[in-house]
């Protein structure tokens, strides 16, 4: 009781990220932990500053949602020196595993694979020309989700990515880039869209509709994150599938901390969250209602 | 008068033509326009439509820059305006009310900037930096960090609708740009704005109310930014305060400069800035249509911009002028006016 | 009596001291060697960048490309050290040569093509970031033992603060810049350019050389900042340090340098950096701000500092007697 | 005098074209060591352009320049400085953001151990400036000194840098007699050392006082070069103007002085000007006289509201008024033509036409634009009336010659048809012909019932049109002269009088 945990969040660049923040704060409150929250506005240097600030304050533990995998060694060492356990949320880092307690993340490559496998099964050998909306160029989810998807469809010669451009993870860019895909390829020549996140997919769905095609039927839509608006789109038949990335990374992390504080139990080095696939077979309306209040 | 305007915007027109030609080269179907689904459908339409936010921002930014100022907060103001509009419609207000509220928010932001610059004499880039940082926070505060989705058809029409087959945003920026040009050129405002941009002390001593003018200019920019914010939000049926207008202030400034307006204030042309916005959008279009991997987006954009600016630079323009009019030999060259800045100081 | 040109500098210093005391009053643990050491270490790359930015702004220019140059430098170093067996020191030399040349090219364009610095360096910003992407979109870790050596150089002060090498590098850069600006002809030419290019030219200042040198300096210091950043994170990443140019500009301006050029001090920039660092430290110590409140509070604090400076300056000048000491002898 | 047969500087066939204007057409000039060579001509004749071509500030379009018999091609002022040509350009061209010492020594700072020796620099600045009778703190910012002091600093810098040739473009425009005397004694010392001095001015008295020869330019062409020892003023003026100057000097008007228009009581501003009383009548001219920095410009600024008064009362036509900004005073019918035309007057990139109608437009408000045709007409009127030389009304005013800029500014204020017109050094940089015209203009305006306040360092001019003269010292009014009391002697005496009769 009376513990203080510092949480260095990347920023608030997407609805999913906002939800992760909300859930983390809720979890802390439920458990009576004081949460020191620091928003880094997408900058690693700010996260390092935040971590150093937490160490200087002498918090009991640190949650870190790292903006990038590299570059954490020295600050993690300092935390270790100060005997403050660090738990990574949502993304992993490149540092020596002994420097942090554990990582609660999903497998982003695997997420892409799930999406790719769904499409492969769905097409069942039929030819399909795919357009891909990438995340922010250089960001690790974009790289991993592309890799995973490509891995899944590598053995399916009927599936081909014909265009791939970045939509910056945003709804607006998703729409703009999809518009250009539709013009450059022609709506009738695109069979599926794979978007690295749901926001871009939602934007792209509008572009498809404005082009006079039917998203979800003429052009299949598969994306990742499972944010409420995507469930709604699936429920409306405008999208086909999404892979969930849970915003609740903090719950397991707090469980681990509780166990550690109680009797010193050390956790596994990697706690993988589930990458659940949602399709039109699920009750997406119900899920939408449930998720709506989570701060997405 | 007409001829003067045409001569002024000739370089922009030529560059726009060249960039569009480039589009045609990478994608031969660039010029095809179809009518389907009640709307015109084609890449040219896209350029006009997608150019709307930057064109709107550039309209206001031109005036601010003419006064020797700059407004970095326009992107953040877009976020605020979108958030305000979205929250009004989701709370049950009609689209018109939402639009009014958003525009009012834009005007409020503009007056904040204007007062900082004109009354407290804070340097424009810093004064507007404050709102650039805080404004997006305010936008997110309104949406609580989510994408605030809405379904009001009236509001959506402003961003994604069409009138007579043409996307609504095209009308909005054309009318807005035209209106402001008209007001500024049919009244004395244009000259007075240019005057304070060139020499504020002299202007004040000549009886010009520079304070009010400065505030007014930032108000207009806030208004334009709010309009752009509403268009962008309406386009995706949601206010994304995190990303709406992110870094768009740079594109707006770029549009103004490509429009041949000096960042050091003074003479300005809104029409040229609007062409600048279209040039930028055409460059984006080349990048998207080329099908190159996204890693190369920025390099391509940078190189195209460098080429465009190179062609427009006073030195090269001058060389072209010399090349065409070979008499008298070294006509208007003076070592003195090396830098743009230098042109500001009198040489006698 | 205070001399008016230095007034903004003193104001910035006073503002920092005042603000730090207020912070300590609210969070006593902010008075620790850790916080001081962190201020220096965490802001080292920003400080070095801001020195270059001060030079550029003093001439009335601006350099928006620095953030991208830092990112490019990091990626370049990481890729070189990963793919070749070149020693880091050699790689440092190479990257400095590249960034200096890049800056010089920007300066040459600004001068010879008579294009505004804002736009030239904006294009430079796109270009350098783009080149970083082309080198690698992935973040590339740096694992050379020489990096470990450099990183292990620090002085652990009582109270746990670690004063690292890179903080020292920043201090050296500041001191060097002060000497250059105030004690060399080049430094005076920088101020002269800021006072008016035309006038400076008529007074015989070598405009072309100074302009090119200035942007080369800024580019080179951004390159050095990139090296420092790569030491700071042991990696190169093409998406890092986005928007650093605005932080640097803000620090320079908070430090009392006028964007219109000609007036300002490097020392002011140093305190500008500390003030910006203090704002962030304060927010982390507070720890209750949501993402959006963080932004709003940073904006408000920025605003407060600017206003505080204005008020202090105004109060001091209002009390100053009109300068009557000078008169014509006849 | 041309004691040495070899010219130190010889320019042959120099030409310079501007769009729409041929500023210099085949101009040649020889300078001999030890001579003071005056360069004369009307406003816009090309004098400043010629020296800029000599120093490389402008790229000349044709011509060769020999220094000590060797061809030189200065590409920029830096090059000519290195060759020993020191120059004072027409407007003060120093850096207001730097200290006086830094301005003096920019580019040739005293060094020690590879670093600038600031202490030495300040010390030597003091020495140099005291040679010009200036006892100021050189470590202060240049901008904290008046334009006249800045002018002296600029001269001092050029003198220090001149190894072979010194060029002075209207250096005396804002100087008083004392400073001019000091300048001339410095110039004489330099010529004794064998330097050649080029001297540009519109004051013919000064030309005859100091110069050995004069070259006259008209419309960018050489009219001729004269030994001044055997030339007369009339001859020179005729060469400049291409016609005879009518001696139309009117008697100082005992003109009808009308009713009181403006009354100031205990009017002043702390730290700027001591409180003073002033009554201004329609149809009269009050002259403000005093030494450099005595507060003439300050008085003008306080009355006009550009530096608003913080004490005292003002009554206009019997009604109490408050003047807190130029805007309010312009609406009340005031006008002020400022002294420093470069920073306070012209709006450089606007056209001449726009500059002329600027104040009128500001007063009408933005909603009532002056139509182009009307603006054209107003501007053309004044261009004709004041004989402003320009290629077109659409050219940016900064491209006009200094004197023509001054005339355009006068036009700006005349166009507003003010009731009270304040002129601060109205004839600064104006040529002989136009000078007479402007004096005449002031007389005419007065006769039409306008009230004027004129600040000028040219006492001779001041006493021709002033009905009263207020003498200032140390930013305080010390004496008022009226009617027959007015004479140059009386003014000089009251300026000099220690603690003289209080007003
Ligand atoms: N950059 C320029 N572009 C076009 N015309 C110019 C430019 N500079 C000067 N002129 C013109 O060249 C002519 C000569 O100007 P200059 O300044 O040499 O005259 P000046 O003899 O010095 O006159 P003043 O006695 O008024 O100083 C003027 O008609 C002026 O308008
Ligand atoms: N901003 C200022 N701060 C302090 N002193 C100033 C300032 N401006 C002017 N002064 C000083 O005030 C005095 C009055 O200057 P001003 O130029 O108005 O006098 P003046 O009588 O018009 O002389 P002139 O116009 O011939 O230079 C000068 O000594 C000047 O240096
Ligand atoms: Mg001249
Ligand atoms: Mg004066």
């Amino acid at each position: 009781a009376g513990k203080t945990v510092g949480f260095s969040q990347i920023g608030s660049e997407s609805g999913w990220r906002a939800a992760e923040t909300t859930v983390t704060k809720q979890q802390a409150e439920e458990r009576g932990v004081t949460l020191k929250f620091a928003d880094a506005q997408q900058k690693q240097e700010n996260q390092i500053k935040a971590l150093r600030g937490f160490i200087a304050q002498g918090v009991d533990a640190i949650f870190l949602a790292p903006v990038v995998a590299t570059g954490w060694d020295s600050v993690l060492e300092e935390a270790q020196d100060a005997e403050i356990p660090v738990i990574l949320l949502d993304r992993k880092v490149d540092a020596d595993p002994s420097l942090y307690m554990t990582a609660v993340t999903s497998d982003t490559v695997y997420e892409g694979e799930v999406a790719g496998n769904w499409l492969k099964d769905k097409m069942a050998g039929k030819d399909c020309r795919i357009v891909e909306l990438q995340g922010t160029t250089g960001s690790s989810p974009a790289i991993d989700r592309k890799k995973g998807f490509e891995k899944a469809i590598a053995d399916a010669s009927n599936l081909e990515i014909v265009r791939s451009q970045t939509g910056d993870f945003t709804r607006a860019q998703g729409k703009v880039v999809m518009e250009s895909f539709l013009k450059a390829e022609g709506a009738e020549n695109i069979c599926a869209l794979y978007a690295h996140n749901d926001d871009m997919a939602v934007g792209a769905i509008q572009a498809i509709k404005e082009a006079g095609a039917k998203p979800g039927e003429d052009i299949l839509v598969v994306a990742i994150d499972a944010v409420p608006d995507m469930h709604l789109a699936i429920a409306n038949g405008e999208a086909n599938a999404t892979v969930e990335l849970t915003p609740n990374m903090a719950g397991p992390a707090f469980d681990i901390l509780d166990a550690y504080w109680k009797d010193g139990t050390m956790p596994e080095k990697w706690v993988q969250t589930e990458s659940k696939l949602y399709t039109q077979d699920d009750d997406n309306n119900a899920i939408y209602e449930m998720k709506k209040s989570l701060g997405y | 008068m007409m001829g003067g305007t045409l001569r002024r915007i000739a370089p922009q027109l030529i560059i726009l033509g060249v960039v569009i030609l480039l589009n045609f080269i990478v994608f031969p179907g660039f010029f095809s326009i179809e009518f389907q689904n009640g709307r015109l459908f084609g890449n040219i339409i896209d350029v006009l439509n997608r150019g709307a936010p930057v064109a709107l921002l550039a309209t206001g930014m031109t005036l601010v820059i003419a006064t020797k100022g700059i407004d970095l907060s326009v992107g953040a103001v877009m976020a605020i305006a979108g958030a305000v509009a979205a929250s009004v419609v989701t709370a049950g207000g009609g689209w018109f009310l939402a639009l009014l509220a958003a525009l009012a928010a834009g005007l409020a932001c503009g007056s904040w900037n204007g007062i900082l610059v004109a009354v407290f004499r804070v340097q424009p880039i810093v004064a507007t930096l404050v709102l650039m940082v805080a404004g997006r926070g305010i936008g997110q505060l309104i949406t609580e960090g989510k994408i605030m989705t809405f379904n009001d058809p009236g509001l959506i029409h402003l961003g994604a609708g069409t009138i007579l087959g043409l996307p609504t945003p095209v009308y909005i920026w054309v009318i807005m740009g035209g209106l402001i040009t008209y007001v500024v050129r049919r009244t004395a405002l244009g000259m007075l704005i240019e005057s304070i941009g060139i020499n504020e002390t002299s202007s004040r001593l000549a009886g010009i109310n520079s304070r009010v003018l400065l505030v007014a200019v930032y108000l207009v920019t806030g208004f334009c930014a709010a309009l752009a914010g509403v268009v962008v939000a309406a386009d995706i049926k949601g206010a994304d305060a995190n990303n709406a207008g992110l870094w768009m202030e740079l594109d707006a400034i770029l549009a103004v400069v490509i429009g041949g307006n000096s960042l050091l204030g003074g003479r300005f042309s809104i029409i040229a800035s609007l062409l600048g916005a279209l040039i930028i959008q055409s460059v984006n279009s080349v990048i998207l249509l080329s099908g190159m991997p996204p890693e190369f987006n920025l390099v391509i954009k940078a190189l195209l911009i460098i080429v465009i600016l190179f062609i427009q630079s006073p030195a090269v323009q001058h060389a072209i002028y010399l090349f065409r009019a070979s008499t008298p030999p070294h006509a208007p060259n003076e070592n003195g006016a090396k830098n743009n800045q230098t042109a500001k100081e009198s040489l006698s | 009596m205070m001399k008016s040109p230095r007034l903004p500098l003193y104001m910035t210093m006073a503002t920092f001291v005042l603000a730090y005391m207020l912070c300590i009053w609210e969070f006593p643990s902010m008075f620790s060697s850790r916080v001081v050491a962190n201020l220096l270490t965490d802001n080292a790359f920003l400080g070095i960048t801001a020195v270059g930015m001060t030079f550029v702004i003093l001439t009335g220019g601006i350099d928006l490309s620095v953030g991208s140059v830092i990112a490019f430098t990091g990626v370049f170093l990481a890729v070189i050290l990963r793919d070749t067996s070149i020693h880091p020191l050699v790689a440092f030399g190479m990257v400095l040569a590249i960034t200096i040349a890049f800056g010089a090219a920007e300066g040459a364009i600004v001068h010879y093509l008579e294009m505004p610095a804002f736009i030239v360096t904006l294009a430079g910003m796109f270009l350098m970031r783009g080149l970083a992407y082309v080198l690698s979109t992935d973040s590339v870790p740096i694992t050379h033992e020489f990096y470990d050596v450099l990183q292990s150089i620090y002085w652990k002060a009582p109270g746990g603060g670690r004063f690292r090498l890179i903080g020292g590098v920043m201090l050296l850069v500041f001191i060097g810049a002060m000497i250059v600006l105030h004690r060399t002809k080049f430094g005076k030419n920088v101020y002269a350019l800021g006072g008016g290019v035309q006038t400076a030219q008529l007074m015989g200042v070598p405009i072309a050389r100074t302009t090119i040198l200035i942007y080369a300096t800024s580019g080179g210091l951004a390159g050095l900042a990139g090296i420092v950043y790569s030491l700071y994170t042991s990696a190169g990443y093409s998406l890092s340090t986005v928007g650093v140019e605005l932080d640097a500009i803000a620090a320079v301006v908070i430090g009392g340098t006028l964007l219109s050029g000609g007036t300002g001090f490097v020392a002011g920039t140093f305190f500008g950096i500390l003030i910006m660092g203090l704002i962030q430290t304060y927010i982390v110590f507070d720890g209750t701000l949501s993402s959006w409140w963080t932004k709003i509070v940073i904006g408000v604090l920025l605003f407060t500092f600017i206003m505080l400076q204005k008020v202090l300056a105004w109060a001091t000048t209002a009390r100053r007697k009109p300068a009557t000491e000078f008169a014509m002898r006849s | 005098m041309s004691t040495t047969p070899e010219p130190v500087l010889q320019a042959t066939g120099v030409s310079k074209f501007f769009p729409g204007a041929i500023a210099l057409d085949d101009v040649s000039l020889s300078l001999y060591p030890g001579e003071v060579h005056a360069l004369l001509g009307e406003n816009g004749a090309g004098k400043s352009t010629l020296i800029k071509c000599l120093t490389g500030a402008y790229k000349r379009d044709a011509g060769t320049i020999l220094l000590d018999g060797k061809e030189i091609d200065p590409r920029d002022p830096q090059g000519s400085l290195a060759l020993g040509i020191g120059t004072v350009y027409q407007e003060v061209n120093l850096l207001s953001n730097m200290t006086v010492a830094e301005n003096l020594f920019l580019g040739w700072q005293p060094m020690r151990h590879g670093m600038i020796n600031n202490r030495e620099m300040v010390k030597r600045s003091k020495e140099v400036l005291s040679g010009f009778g200036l006892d100021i703190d050189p470590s202060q910012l240049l901008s904290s000194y008046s334009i006249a002091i800045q002018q002296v600093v600029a001269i001092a810098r050029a003198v220090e840098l001149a190894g072979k040739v010194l060029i002075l473009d209207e250096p005396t425009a804002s100087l008083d007699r004392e400073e001019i005397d000091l300048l001339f004694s410095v110039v004489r010392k330099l010529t004794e050392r064998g330097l050649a001095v080029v001297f540009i001015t519109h004051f013919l008295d000064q030309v005859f006082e100091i110069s050995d020869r004069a070259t006259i330019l008209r419309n960018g062409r050489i009219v001729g070069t004269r030994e001044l020892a055997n030339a007369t003023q009339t001859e020179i003026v005729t060469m400049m103007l291409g016609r005879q100057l009518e001696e139309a000097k009117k008697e100082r008007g005992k003109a009808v002085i009308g009713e009181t228009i403006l009354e100031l009581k205990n009017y002043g501003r702390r730290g700027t000007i001591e409180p003073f009383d002033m009554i201004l009548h329609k149809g009269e001219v009050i002259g403000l006289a005093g030494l450099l920095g005595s507060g003439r410009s300050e008085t003008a600024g306080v009355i006009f509201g550009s530096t608003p008064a913080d004490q005292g009362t003002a009554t206009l036509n019997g009604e109490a008024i408050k003047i807190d900004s130029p805007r309010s005073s312009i609406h009340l019918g005031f006008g002020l033509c400022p002294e420093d035309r470069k920073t306070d007057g012209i709006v450089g990139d606007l056209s001449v036409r726009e500059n002329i109608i600027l104040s009128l437009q500001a007063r009408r408000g933005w909603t009532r634009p002056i139509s182009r045709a009307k603006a054209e007409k107003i501007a053309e009127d004044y261009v004709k009336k004041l004989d402003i030389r320009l290629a077109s009304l659409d050219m940016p005013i900064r491209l006009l010659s200094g004197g023509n800029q001054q005339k355009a500014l006068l036009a700006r204020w005349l166009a507003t048809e003010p009731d009270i017109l304040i002129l601060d050094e109205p004839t600064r940089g104006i040529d002989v012909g136009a000078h007479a015209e402007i004096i005449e203009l002031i007389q005419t305006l007065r006769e039409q019932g306008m009230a004027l306040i004129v600040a000028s360092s040219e006492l001779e001019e001041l006493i021709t049109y002033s009905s009263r003269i207020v003498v200032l010292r140390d930013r305080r009014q010390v004496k008022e002269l009226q009617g027959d009391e007015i004479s140059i002697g009386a003014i000089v005496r009251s300026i000099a009088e220690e603690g003289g009769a209080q007003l």
Side-chain angles (χ1 to χ4, degrees), chain B residues 116 120-121 123 125-126 132 137 140-141 144 253 257 263 295 298-299 309-310 313-315 336 338 342 345, chain C residues 112-115 118-119 127 129-130 137 197-199 246 253 258-259 292-293 295 299 303 306-307 310:
Chain B
L116 279 188
F120 291 100
R121 295 278 148 194
Q123 304 182 57
I125 202 169
V126 201
M132 177 186 184
Q140 287 176 298
L141 182 70
E144 293 179 315
I253 296 167
V257 173
L263 279 173
E295 293 90 284
L298 275 178
V299 177
L309 292 174
F310 178 77
S313 73
K338 258 295 165 230
T342 57
E345 288 159 277
Chain C
Y112 288 111
L113 295 186
E114 299 163 43
M115 280 156 59
F118 192 98
I119 290 305
L127 186 66
R129 177 88 46 198
T137 47
V197 179
Q198 180 106 74
T199 307
L246 288 178
V253 173
L258 290 186
L259 274 167
W292 31 99
W293 275 111
K295 290 180 185 145
F303 172 73
I306 295 167
M307 279 312 174
K310 286 247 165 227

Side-chain angles (χ1 to χ4, degrees), chain D residues 147 296-298 339 424-425 455:
Chain D
I147 182 109
R296 292 164 296 183
S297 301
E298 259 93 344
E339 172 180 27
D424 196 351
E425 307 282 0

Side-chain angles (χ1 to χ4, degrees), chain C residues 323 326, chain D residues 144-146 148 291-298 339 475:
Chain C
F326 46 84
Chain D
S144 54
Y145 297 101
S146 74
L291 291 182
L292 269 189
S294 57
R296 292 164 296 183
S297 301
E298 259 93 344
E339 172 180 27
R475 300 194 228 169

Side-chain angles (χ1 to χ4, degrees), chain A residues 210-213, chain B residues 34-41:
Chain A
E210 281 170 20
Chain B
E34 293 161 40
F35 191 80
Q36 45 171 272
N37 218 11
R39 58 163 60 214
L40 288 169
F41 195 78

Side-chain angles (χ1 to χ4, degrees), chain C residues 137-152:
Chain C
T137 47
D138 254 324
S139 81
V140 184
I142 300 174
T143 49
H144 202 280
E145 61 269 21
F146 184 68
Y147 264 63
D148 299 335
V149 173
L150 291 180
Q151 281 161 345
S152 63

